[in-house]
Amino acid sequence: MNWTNRGAAAWEQVVGRSREAHAVVIDDMPVYRHGVMHLLGKMPGIGRVELVEPDALAARKASLPAPALLVFGMPPDLADGWHLLRLASLVLKPRRLLLVSDNMWQRLPPGLDGRFARSLSRSASLAAIERDVRALLDLPPPAEAPPGQHAGPAGFHRPFHVLA
């Protein structure tokens, strides 16, 4: 798996030099997939989030622009998962990868630099997912809550089922 154009910020690599990154989410768990899509869709700096069914990956048009970020949910069958990830890297040609897995010991394949790919447990908090996406896409930190507005208790994060 080879991620290219690693030197420039991810948003600079998008066709048309738009400041809005394009993200693709592939996961076989519909609730998780839609929760991540919702989270990414609300993040400033991400313009479009595309959901791709694992079965529809091979049929995706190669002429579509490469996404700045691929959020890939590793299926329970690791052999199928690694095969699907290879296929996704060839078809989509993503510039950054966030690998999500049920297996908390899951590691990135050898040769993938932490600046361009990261792995998270599927049970990671929304804050952890957002932190890693921001780091991968070189997005600025989230804006502070305006004075007079309470952002909620520290450490409180809504569960995915609220987002889906």
Side-chain angles (χ1 to χ4, degrees):
M1 289 171 266
N2 184 18
W3 272 259
T4 58
N5 296 325
R6 295 180 178 175
W11 58 265
E12 291 177 341
Q13 299 167 14
V14 178
V15 174
R17 300 279 183 186
S18 170
R19 285 191 152 306
E20 299 286 307
H22 170 210
V24 171
V25 179
I26 299 175
D27 197 303
D28 60 351
M29 295 179 64
V31 173
Y32 190 84
R33 182 175 59 229
H34 289 286
V36 169
M37 182 211 67
H38 187 74
L39 172 70
L40 295 176
K42 287 189 168 194
M43 287 179 64
I46 298 181
R48 185 169 69 109
V49 181
E50 179 184 355
L51 298 177
V52 176
E53 295 286 335
D55 298 338
L57 182 60
R60 187 175 187 271
K61 293 181 183 178
S63 62
L64 293 173
L69 175 68
L70 169 61
V71 178
F72 183 83
M74 183 63 76
D77 182 350
L78 293 180
D80 285 345
W82 290 121
H83 173 73
L84 187 60
L85 182 57
R86 277 189 210 80
L87 179 62
S89 71
L90 293 172
V91 171
L92 299 172
K93 296 176 182 64
R95 292 173 179 88
R96 305 290 195 271
L97 167 69
L98 180 60
L99 179 64
V100 181
S101 175
D102 285 325
N103 182 349
M104 63 183 265
W105 306 114
Q106 188 68 52
R107 299 284 185 243
L108 290 172
L112 284 180
D113 189 322
R115 294 174 294 171
F116 311 107
R118 300 210 178 180
S119 64
L120 279 175
S121 170
R122 201 177 296 273
S123 63
S125 70
L126 293 176
I129 295 169
E130 185 174 350
R131 178 201 63 221
D132 281 4
V133 167
R134 285 181 183 284
L136 285 169
L137 295 178
D138 302 318
L139 297 174
E144 296 290 323
Q149 279 190 340
H150 185 55
F156 175 75
H157 304 287
R158 292 183 298 170
F160 275 117
H161 68 273
V162 174
L163 298 176

